[in-house]
Amino acid sequence: MMPATYPADLKSRLASTDPEVRRIAVMDLLDSDEDSIDQYLLDALKDTDAQVRAEAARLLEGYETPKVVEGLIGVLGDDSAEVREAAAISLSELKDAAMGDELLSALPASSSPYMLASLFRALRELRRPEAFAPALAALASDAADVRCAALGVLGYLKNPAALPEIARIAGSDPDVEARRIAVGALGFATESAAVVPAMTQALVDTSWQVREEAAATLGKLLAAEAIDDLIAAMADPYWQVRIKAARSLGRLKAKPALPVLIDALGHEISNLRKEAAVALGEVGDKAAIPALEKALDDSDPDVRKLARLALAQLTK
């Protein structure tokens, strides 16, 4: 039971001339019986000490009210990177779609790329349709962080009108992360033919992370027209790309991929051997039985288990 004098002591510490005392007092607010903790934290966002402001911004993630969102937006332009990051993270934790009103109203007045990117990241999971137009326009930003955050919004909204611009980013953006996010965002397309050219181009991107994303997304799209490109991706120098290509070939039940999948059963990376075993079961071609039977002696128990499951699929 908290002593009756604790709230008064807490208020005294919040007004201390020692910033470390104030910071700890801010942390103790959550354990107090005060009725207006969020207001105390909002007041702490104006503290002269950056660590106090950052602590308050972190703790405000548990309060979803317009005044809290407004307060956090207000410190996205703080002189301290620690404060800006804490506020951005707290905003990104918002779950109430109604809180998007404050975020949306702040977009036109955003004074920095960091602020704009933070607002888009906060809007992403709120899925506010009103964010579509500003996010689409933000793909022309000079700041890669802004383009990446805007792509996240568009990927969550799944509006087909964004596909041409997302495909453009996927194929030509100078930033690797923007290309990777764009490739993943293309996965919401309902007609794979509209995005497969961009995806197959991404399969030969200079970045293996982009190639990996493309190999995975083509499987989600069930893009049968990309089977030959995925087979070619099984020769990628990065095994991470091969894993996603094998997974997609399995989902596509791509019988032409049988030779490369059987070959992958002998790869030195066990994760790729496991994925190849699963894919061979999904492809459903009995010609894979001898290779899978050989994999029953694999040194990795998971490979042996998955080979047994694949054989069960092929022999039932």
Side-chain angles (χ1 to χ4, degrees):
M1 185 76 178
M2 187 181 302
T5 57
Y6 185 76
D9 171 64
L10 180 60
K11 292 174 185 178
S12 173
R13 290 191 289 126
L14 285 169
S16 170
T17 57
D18 186 335
E20 183 60 14
V21 172
R22 296 198 304 274
R23 187 183 70 82
I24 295 174
V26 164
M27 295 172 63
D28 287 343
L29 275 168
L30 296 187
D31 295 324
S32 75
D33 288 333
E34 293 294 321
D35 294 328
S36 303
I37 293 175
D38 57 340
Q39 187 56 56
Y40 281 111
L41 292 173
L42 285 169
D43 291 342
L45 287 180
K46 302 171 186 175
D47 197 277
T48 56
D49 184 77
Q51 289 192 325
V52 175
R53 298 196 302 275
E55 199 65 60
R58 279 189 283 270
L59 295 175
L60 280 167
E61 72 173 12
Y63 299 88
E64 293 197 25
T65 64
K67 68 177 182 179
V68 167
V69 174
E70 182 181 1
L72 289 170
I73 290 172
V75 295
L76 286 176
D78 196 277
D79 291 339
S80 165
E82 182 182 5
V83 176
R84 295 196 300 270
E85 183 178 356
I89 291 173
S90 288
L91 285 170
S92 71
E93 295 297 320
L94 294 173
K95 297 295 183 288
D96 185 351
M99 294 302 101
D101 291 341
E102 303 296 326
L103 299 168
L104 288 163
S105 65
L107 284 174
S110 298
S111 58
S112 71
Y114 183 88
M115 180 180 292
L116 191 57
S118 297
L119 292 172
F120 280 130
R121 280 192 287 270
L123 281 163
R124 182 181 60 195
E125 294 190 34
L126 300 183
R127 292 178 169 86
R128 290 290 298 265
E130 304 93 327
F132 176 79
L136 191 63
L139 294 185
S141 171
D142 290 336
D145 283 350
V146 172
R147 298 195 301 276
C148 288
L151 284 165
V153 171
L154 296 171
Y156 269 71
L157 290 176
K158 296 179 170 54
N159 187 329
L163 288 173
E165 273 299 287
I166 296 176
R168 178 187 66 79
I169 295 287
S172 63
D173 198 277
D175 184 76
V176 169
E177 185 62 5
R179 296 199 304 277
R180 187 193 67 77
I181 294 173
V183 167
L186 290 173
F188 73 76
T190 54
E191 296 291 334
S192 63
V195 298
V196 162
M199 303 294 286
T200 53
Q201 179 183 349
L203 274 179
V204 293
D205 193 275
T206 55
S207 164
W208 72 264
Q209 291 97 332
V210 175
R211 300 197 302 273
E212 178 187 32
E213 194 73 42
T217 305
L218 283 166
K220 296 173 186 176
L221 289 169
L222 297 178
E225 59 268 53
I227 285 176
D228 288 344
D229 296 286
L230 286 167
I231 290 173
M234 289 296 294
D236 195 279
Y238 283 80
W239 59 267
Q240 295 93 331
V241 178
R242 296 188 191 190
I243 281 179
K244 297 300 172 60
R247 184 172 303 170
S248 292
L249 288 166
R251 295 188 67 178
L252 288 164
K253 302 186 184 304
K255 291 193 175 184
L258 195 67
V260 293
L261 291 172
I262 289 175
D263 184 65
L265 274 179
H267 196 274
E268 63 179 343
I269 301 295
S270 63
N271 283 343
L272 180 53
R273 301 200 301 276
K274 286 185 274 190
E275 206 64 58
V278 172
L280 286 168
E282 292 176 326
V283 168
D285 192 324
K286 293 183 183 297
I289 289 177
L292 287 167
E293 288 177 337
K294 183 178 179 181
L296 294 176
D297 294 324
D298 194 277
S299 59
D300 188 309
D302 287 332
V303 175
R304 299 196 298 270
K305 175 183 175 181
L306 292 170
R308 283 195 300 272
L309 291 173
L311 284 167
Q313 287 178 275
L314 296 178
T315 56
K316 63 182 178 182

